[in-house]
Amino acid sequence: MTISFEPVQGIFHLQNKHMSYVIQLINGSYPAHVYWGRSIRSGQLGTVIQYKERASFSPNPVKENRKISFDTLPQEYPAYGTSDFREPAYQVAQPNGSTITELVYDKHRIVQGKPVLDGLPSTYVEADHEAETLEIELVDKVAGLRAILSYTIFADHAAITRSVRFINEGTAELKLLRALSLNVDFPHADWDLLQLSGSWARERHIERRALAPGKLTVESRRGSSSHSHNPFVALLAKDANEDYGDVYGFNLVYSGNFAAHAEVDPFATARVSIGINPFDFSWLLEPGQQFQTPEAVMVYSGQGIGEMSRSYHRLYRSRLCRGEFRDRVRPVLVNNWEATYFDFNADKIESIARAGKELGIELFVLDDGWFGKRNDDTTSLGDWVVDKAKLPGGLEDLVERVNKLGLEFGLWFEPEMVSPESELYRKHPDWCLHVPDRRRTEGRGQLILDFSRQEVCEGVMAMLRNILSSAPITYVKWDMNRNMTEIGSAALPPERQRETAHRYMLGLYRVMEAITTEYPHILFESCSGGGGRFDPGILYYMPQTWTSDNTDAVCRLKIQYGTSIVYPVSSMGSHVSAVPNHQVHRMTSLETRGHVAMSGNFGYELDLTKFTEEEKELVKRQVADYKQLRPLVQFGDMYRLLSPFEGNDTAWMIVSEDKTQAMVVFIRVLAEPYAPLKTLRLKGLNPDFDYEIEGSEGLFPGDHLLYAGIPVVGLHNDFQSKIWLLNAKQQ
């Protein structure tokens, strides 16, 4: 891993064993993008960018050289207004009303390690030798604006992170109207765009489409990263698939409004940018003040989508997630939500926990309904006081009863919300996001607390501390069940109202940082109506996320498969629920539900007391098997074999880092009459190892499994599944 600078040609070369990223200073002033891809030697990098005069419709900012136009120059951080007519990376309003700026090179520095981002989540290093960082400083002396472009390349990961810090060095106020985290100009536009989109209960479905002249935008305007679109896009070579071809991934470490653009210009080049959504955003930058953009993580793969995914997985497991649970296996849990909803008491909860203990479950999680007067979803959010009508002995008594059974205890919260029907709202009606003289639109009967305000954050943290310190709680499910409307803050002046959504995220991150730091023994799981805020920003504070409120095993094939494009298995909460399924009313076997859920942080979300004796025995085996497999499942490398978006069958496998252990999962959705024979080729194994397959006789050479495959037999009826467990024979 090195970052070098060649001053004669103005070449910056960021390089590790996986890739090279090259920048050139044009005319000593303008950072231009030269190359990103497989690792290459420096050689003739100064000859890569081509120049051609494009007549007067691509104007020339450098009077002495009519071959240079920002309209055609591949730039690192472009502005609008001085000859580039494409999507800009930033825009700044000045006191005279102008938005014309021109940032030019001033200086740079190369440092060992990776600086932290103030107030924002980001990837990190544990030792300086793990990464190197380039900071390029650009200035606009007329505006008094300085921008520091930060690039970090890791030694052992095929990833570069980028962010930008703006500094007002002038004497007048500036207003940021746009502040994206990165821009990459590609020399051609012969790409497909891959995105992860959907809705509540249908998150992160894979969409792939060709770039075409004009602009494609993937964005959220909902105040969160959202169920609708994930803050991720990738450019894929036309021939790229799971195992072959060039793939470039872009993922924003942010949990609020974002925008990712892919634009094709008249000269068939492509521009990709990602960052905070400029829609309804501005930031007043007073003299001497700074603004930091979120971090974006760029991953290059020359071996298809699968290798890109594994690069993200390895980086996020080890250098994004933090805390005690980063490297620990996660407990098998039961959550009472779909078992009881709001209708429960202490005895009912204890009965489910007792049944769980008999089945080998390790953690009981009490979901919504334990506080205030919460008998439905119209009341009590914000009143984080135990409902003594349901739990007369209080939370302490219930936790003690569960602990005596040998289970740990977890609790559901929705700290960012308030019900209009609550003591908190009656006391502080101005604490929610709202705009004067406008209605306060409710979602699920609730409003959103204004986390841009310090006193609101402190008030929420005090309530959380009171509960979390009252009993030995070892797990928290942190939910968030609506998106933002009437985005305004009673604490901000008119000229700063469009800062509210971003200030909310900064406040949320402060709260999460404080609470997760103060309670390191608690495993925090994020949730937003399931996967509505499944993003790297949240994973920095909470190492796992409830993947979707849709627990149907068949629906989960697409949801979990799509999620795995970027996010590791260790980040996905996945439970077995009752049938008929509560979301789509499908009937699937307990075995298949277990097989799907075991490729995640495993648990149950149903009434365990209603199992038959036969079902109890199956669940006992599932729990015992998962306990043996979870180090592999949670920390192994995932290989996708068959896509649910492309056929009736879905398959994936997880392989240990040393290639000695693997789990292969196959699911057939619908039975087929007179079906063709099926052979499944495996991936990720060592071709020189011999493997035992549980339930099969003899040894199977690794190359046999990789290239000849294994037959899929014995599946009948709809929604059937099969698992193979492989262990390398010790040499």
Side-chain angles (χ1 to χ4, degrees):
M1 169 202 65
T2 59
I3 298 178
S4 62
F5 178 60
E6 196 283 296
V8 175
Q9 298 182 89
I11 296 284
F12 298 97
H13 189 173
L14 293 77
Q15 186 177 36
N16 63 18
K17 61 186 177 182
H18 304 286
M19 63 179 171
S20 288
Y21 190 97
V22 183
I23 305 162
Q24 183 174 16
L25 295 175
I26 305 303
N27 272 26
S29 297
Y30 310 115
H33 181 70
V34 176
Y35 175 83
W36 180 26
R38 295 177 187 271
S39 186
I40 58 176
R41 292 177 289 163
S42 292
Q44 298 293 321
L45 292 174
T47 67
V48 173
I49 296 177
Q50 301 180 52
Y51 304 91
K52 182 179 177 63
E53 185 177 353
R54 294 288 186 177
S56 61
F57 291 99
S58 291
N60 312 114
V62 181
K63 193 172 184 179
E64 301 78 20
N65 189 344
R66 294 176 63 174
K67 291 184 178 180
I68 294 179
S69 173
F70 295 153
D71 198 28
T72 57
L73 189 69
Q75 295 176 78
E76 282 296 304
Y77 205 67
Y80 174 80
T82 59
S83 79
D84 191 340
F85 299 96
R86 296 167 291 177
E87 189 80 11
Y90 75 100
Q91 193 171 30
V92 180
Q94 295 151 80
N96 64 3
S98 168
T99 57
I100 303 302
T101 56
E102 187 171 341
L103 290 168
V104 298
Y105 172 79
D106 180 43
K107 58 185 177 180
H108 73 272
R109 69 182 64 86
I110 299 170
V111 298
Q112 289 293 315
K114 185 177 188 294
V116 299
L117 297 190
D118 185 29
L120 285 166
S122 64
T123 56
Y124 60 90
V125 296
E126 293 186 340
D128 283 348
H129 65 79
E130 295 179 2
E132 205 165 19
T133 298
L134 167 67
E135 292 183 343
I136 300 176
E137 298 200 16
L138 310 176
V139 294
D140 183 327
K141 292 183 179 179
V142 174
L145 178 68
R146 181 174 295 269
I148 302 175
L149 312 185
S150 179
Y151 303 75
T152 295
I153 185 166
F154 293 87
D156 297 324
H157 299 280
I160 290 176
T161 65
R162 289 181 59 179
S163 65
V164 182
R165 180 158 47 99
F166 292 94
I167 306 171
N168 184 350
E169 296 183 332
T171 59
E173 292 180 343
L174 300 173
K175 181 167 281 192
L176 292 176
L177 304 178
R178 173 188 295 258
L180 301 185
S181 296
L182 68 75
N183 181 91
V184 179
D185 286 347
F186 289 85
H188 66 85
D190 196 21
W191 304 102
D192 287 346
L193 179 81
L194 187 147
Q195 66 191 75
L196 303 175
S197 300
S199 69
W200 175 79
R202 190 167 40 82
E203 298 92 337
R204 288 171 301 286
H205 282 204
I206 297 172
E207 302 287 343
R208 180 173 178 170
R209 49 182 167 158
L211 295 190
K215 184 178 71 173
L216 296 178
T217 296
V218 178
E219 65 179 343
S220 173
R221 302 179 179 183
R222 309 179 74 93
S224 69
S225 48
S226 85
H227 300 84
S228 304
H229 303 291
N230 199 259
F232 164 82
V233 294
L235 288 193
L236 281 56
K238 290 294 185 181
D239 59 354
N241 58 27
E242 188 67 23
D243 305 303
Y244 173 84
D246 285 340
V247 177
Y248 298 85
F250 304 85
N251 197 200
L252 190 66
V253 187
Y254 190 61
S255 311
N257 292 337
F258 76 92
H261 307 291
E263 181 180 12
V264 177
D265 70 5
F267 307 109
T269 66
R271 168 170 288 180
V272 175
S273 55
I274 193 169
I276 294 173
N277 198 332
F279 175 80
D280 205 39
F281 165 84
S282 67
W283 192 274
L284 187 64
L285 205 58
E286 296 178 355
Q289 290 188 340
Q290 303 183 11
F291 180 85
Q292 175 66 57
T293 73
E295 178 172 278
V297 181
M298 304 161 46
V299 165
Y300 166 73
S301 166
Q303 297 175 285
I305 303 167
E307 188 57 36
M308 179 202 70
S309 298
R310 287 184 289 277
S311 294
Y312 274 117
H313 296 175
R314 293 164 188 148
L315 178 64
Y316 286 177
R317 277 201 310 262
S318 64
R319 292 299 180 266
L320 176 69
C321 295
R322 304 176 301 160
E324 291 185 10
F325 290 91
R326 185 190 73 178
D327 302 322
R328 283 174 53 184
V329 294
R330 316 287 166 75
V332 180
L333 66 82
V334 59
N335 182 298
N336 72 296
W337 178 240
E338 290 191 15
T340 66
Y341 294 102
F342 296 103
D343 185 16
F344 62 84
N345 57 33
D347 290 340
K348 178 60 179 177
I349 295 303
E350 185 178 4
S351 71
I352 296 175
R354 180 176 290 106
K357 176 60 178 178
E358 294 172 359
L359 300 171
I361 288 170
E362 300 160 310
L363 167 68
F364 177 86
V365 179
L366 179 61
D367 211 282
D368 195 356
W370 57 268
F371 54 92
K373 300 176 182 178
R374 184 77 166 174
N375 295 313
D376 55 42
D377 63 8
T378 66
T379 181
S380 298
L381 288 173
D383 296 342
W384 300 109
V385 179
V386 176
D387 180 0
K388 293 295 185 71
K390 290 181 181 176
L391 306 175
L395 200 58
E396 300 89 333
D397 172 69
L398 181 61
V399 175
E400 183 179 4
R401 290 164 71 172
V402 171
N403 287 167
K404 282 184 176 179
L405 294 170
L407 276 71
E408 296 183 46
F409 187 89
L411 198 60
W412 177 97
F413 283 97
E414 195 168 1
E416 300 163 66
M417 300 294 156
V418 63
S419 302
E421 182 55 42
S422 68
E423 293 302 318
L424 180 65
Y425 188 77
R426 282 186 280 271
K427 185 176 180 181
H428 297 290
D430 67 325
W431 272 22
C432 67
L433 293 176
H434 68 280
V435 174
D437 304 319
R438 299 291 180 184
R439 70 164 174 262
R440 301 183 180 190
T441 302
E442 296 179 21
R444 199 177 180 244
Q446 59 199 57
L447 299 168
I448 303 178
L449 290 171
D450 183 0
F451 270 48
S452 74
R453 298 173 61 175
Q454 184 66 26
E455 66 271 31
V456 174
C457 293
E458 291 295 337
V460 169
M461 285 193 288
M463 290 186 283
L464 292 178
R465 291 180 179 117
N466 186 54
I467 292 293
L468 296 178
S469 300
S470 69
I473 295 165
T474 60
Y475 169 101
V476 164
K477 182 178 179 180
W478 183 301
D479 211 343
M480 192 277 283
N481 276 311
R482 64 156 294 183
N483 291 141
M484 292 182 181
T485 57
E486 293 87 43
I487 302 173
S489 174
L492 292 175
E495 64 271 19
R496 290 191 179 274
Q497 284 298 316
R498 292 176 71 184
E499 301 175 9
T500 303
H502 182 59
R503 287 185 179 274
Y504 179 98
M505 293 313 310
L506 296 177
L508 175 64
Y509 290 150
R510 284 195 301 271
V511 171
M512 287 186 167
E513 177 71 22
I515 294 298
T516 58
T517 300
E518 290 174 31
Y519 298 93
H521 64 285
I522 293 179
L523 171 58
F524 286 86
E525 178 177 89
S526 170
C527 178
S528 177
R533 209 162 57 184
F534 203 130
D535 59 68
I538 296 296
L539 288 180
Y540 180 76
Y541 304 100
M542 302 182 179
Q544 63 188 57
T545 298
W546 180 228
T547 314
S548 177
D549 278 350
N550 187 343
T551 54
D552 173 66
V554 174
C555 291
R556 275 295 187 110
L557 297 178
K558 289 184 176 179
I559 294 169
Q560 293 178 198
Y561 195 97
T563 302
S564 76
I565 294 291
V566 185
Y567 305 105
V569 168
S570 61
S571 68
M572 297 187 220
S574 188
H575 298 170
V576 174
S577 61
V579 291
N581 174 263
H582 291 197
Q583 290 79 46
V584 298
H585 309 290
R586 196 189 330 264
M587 295 288 293
T588 52
S589 71
L590 183 56
E591 181 178 50
T592 295
R593 282 176 277 156
H595 286 169
V596 173
M598 288 170 74
S599 291
N601 295 306
F602 185 57
Y604 293 82
E605 192 152 335
L606 40 67
D607 191 341
L608 302 177
T609 66
K610 295 182 178 179
F611 277 143
T612 65
E613 290 303 315
E614 182 181 2
E615 288 172 330
K616 287 180 182 178
E617 291 306 311
L618 176 54
V619 169
K620 286 180 182 178
R621 290 198 301 272
Q622 287 178 341
V623 171
D625 288 346
Y626 184 76
K627 288 178 180 178
Q628 292 296 316
L629 288 168
R630 61 184 162 186
L632 168 67
V633 170
Q634 294 174 14
F635 306 117
D637 289 327
M638 183 180 189
Y639 293 82
R640 294 180 292 266
L641 307 180
L642 297 172
S643 171
F645 298 95
E646 298 175 1
N648 187 47
D649 299 333
T650 303
W652 61 85
M653 61 188 294
I654 302 173
V655 184
S656 63
E657 184 178 357
D658 62 6
K659 311 294 188 182
T660 62
Q661 189 181 16
M663 178 181 79
V664 184
V665 183
F666 177 91
I667 294 93
R668 173 162 291 156
V669 176
L670 297 178
E672 299 177 75
Y674 213 53
L677 300 177
K678 187 81 175 184
T679 300
L680 190 64
R681 291 185 180 183
L682 306 187
K683 299 177 184 177
L685 303 176
N686 188 323
D688 298 324
F689 286 1
D690 292 330
Y691 290 89
E692 298 173 330
I693 301 178
E694 289 189 16
S696 299
E697 294 184 1
L699 295 176
F700 293 80
D703 53 0
H704 173 112
L705 297 170
L706 292 169
Y707 311 128
I710 54 176
V712 180
V713 296
L715 296 180
H716 307 285
N717 302 321
D718 296 338
F719 320 130
Q720 297 298 299
S721 62
K722 189 174 182 67
I723 279 186
W724 295 269
L725 302 179
L726 283 65
N727 289 282
K729 182 178 180 294
Q730 296 300 314
Q731 302 297 318

